[in-house]
Amino acid sequence: MGRVAEYSEKEIIEAGEVIESNGKHVNPFAIREKLGGGSPDRIKRIWETHLQSRKAVDSEEGIDDVIELPTEIQEAFEKNLKTISSQLERITQESFRVAMQLSEKRVKSTIDEYQAKIAEFEESEQKAFHALEKSDREKEELEQKMETLIAKNEQLLAENSKLLGNIESLQSRISQLETKESELSELQREFGKLQGKIEVMESNA
């Protein structure tokens, strides 16, 4: 019986990394094509979880690589950092003030436009997932129907063979009966001739 092909998390991640190493964009459809099947929803979940885990590992490695600075350099760095932070704070406040002066309607329109595009993309992605899963189910159903038809065909062939045997047996029986009928007709003719001779002999006696 045909079934939708499922792959392990390791196989899905390895397929994504191969696509990534070739400089191509990795998405559930590309991984599915690389593997030759699988549920797009499941592939998406596994790949996104892998990306999050990889980011966490990279962050931890970055923390481990931090070098402790000498006291003088550290103090100077912290002093400069405070100055820069103060400047950044002023710049941020000024930027915020300018941003607040922008048209809220225009900002809202831009946000709504991007949200609509995101929603449209997510809807298209879900439709594609459902279409692939439906295709896999229909393929499985067709394979099941094919297996059923093959089994019925084999059964019909067996029954046909049996019927052919019965027909041959009947034809042989009919042939035998025709031979017997021919012999009976011959006997009846012989009996008629004999009866005629007897009648002639009785009339002459």
Side-chain angles (χ1 to χ4, degrees):
M1 181 183 298
R3 296 187 62 185
V4 177
E6 290 294 348
Y7 299 86
S8 66
E9 293 185 9
K10 182 180 179 183
E11 290 174 319
I12 291 171
I13 292 170
E14 287 179 349
E17 289 178 344
V18 169
I19 296 170
E20 195 174 46
S21 66
N22 291 331
K24 296 181 180 178
H25 177 65
V26 182
N27 58 55
F29 300 104
I31 295 175
R32 187 179 191 274
E33 183 178 358
K34 181 73 175 176
L35 293 172
S39 169
D41 275 328
R42 181 170 177 268
I43 292 172
K44 181 181 179 182
R45 290 196 302 271
I46 291 172
W47 181 248
E48 288 181 349
T49 301
H50 170 65
L51 291 180
Q52 292 172 1
S53 300
R54 192 165 64 183
K55 287 179 181 178
V57 171
D58 292 342
S59 298
E60 291 176 0
E61 289 178 353
I63 293 173
D64 293 338
D65 293 338
V66 174
I67 299 174
E68 186 176 351
L69 298 174
T71 305
E72 295 81 0
I73 297 177
Q74 183 68 31
E75 290 176 353
F77 172 76
E78 290 177 356
K79 182 179 179 181
N80 292 332
L81 183 61
K82 288 179 181 179
T83 302
I84 293 171
S85 297
S86 177
Q87 292 174 352
L88 286 174
E89 185 177 355
R90 286 196 301 270
I91 293 171
T92 301
Q93 290 174 350
E94 180 65 19
S95 298
F96 179 73
R97 184 185 66 79
V98 173
M100 289 297 294
Q101 293 176 354
L102 295 174
S103 172
E104 292 183 358
K105 183 178 180 180
R106 181 180 177 183
V107 172
K108 184 177 183 301
S109 176
T110 302
I111 292 173
D112 290 343
E113 182 180 353
Y114 279 108
Q115 287 179 339
K117 288 181 178 179
I118 291 171
E120 183 180 354
F121 172 77
E122 290 177 346
E123 183 181 358
S124 298
E125 185 181 50
Q126 286 299 318
K127 286 181 178 179
F129 287 168
H130 293 326
L132 285 171
E133 290 175 351
K134 181 180 178 182
S135 177
D136 287 336
R137 288 195 301 271
E138 290 177 348
K139 178 183 176 183
E140 182 178 352
E141 290 174 359
L142 287 174
E143 289 175 350
Q144 291 175 348
K145 289 180 180 179
M146 181 65 71
E147 290 176 0
T148 301
L149 288 173
I150 290 173
K152 287 183 177 180
N153 185 55
E154 290 176 352
Q155 182 180 358
L156 288 173
L157 287 174
E159 291 177 354
N160 186 48
S161 177
K162 183 178 179 181
L163 287 173
L164 287 174
N166 291 337
I167 290 171
E168 289 177 357
S169 177
L170 288 173
Q171 287 176 338
S172 176
R173 180 61 178 166
I174 290 170
S175 178
Q176 292 175 0
L177 289 174
E178 288 176 347
T179 301
K180 295 292 184 181
E181 184 179 5
S182 177
E183 292 176 353
L184 179 60
S185 297
E186 182 65 27
L187 287 173
Q188 286 177 341
R189 285 195 297 272
E190 293 294 331
F191 177 77
K193 292 179 181 180
L194 182 60
Q195 190 175 20
K197 289 181 180 180
I198 292 173
E199 290 176 354
V200 170
M201 290 176 66
E202 286 178 349
S203 61
N204 293 331

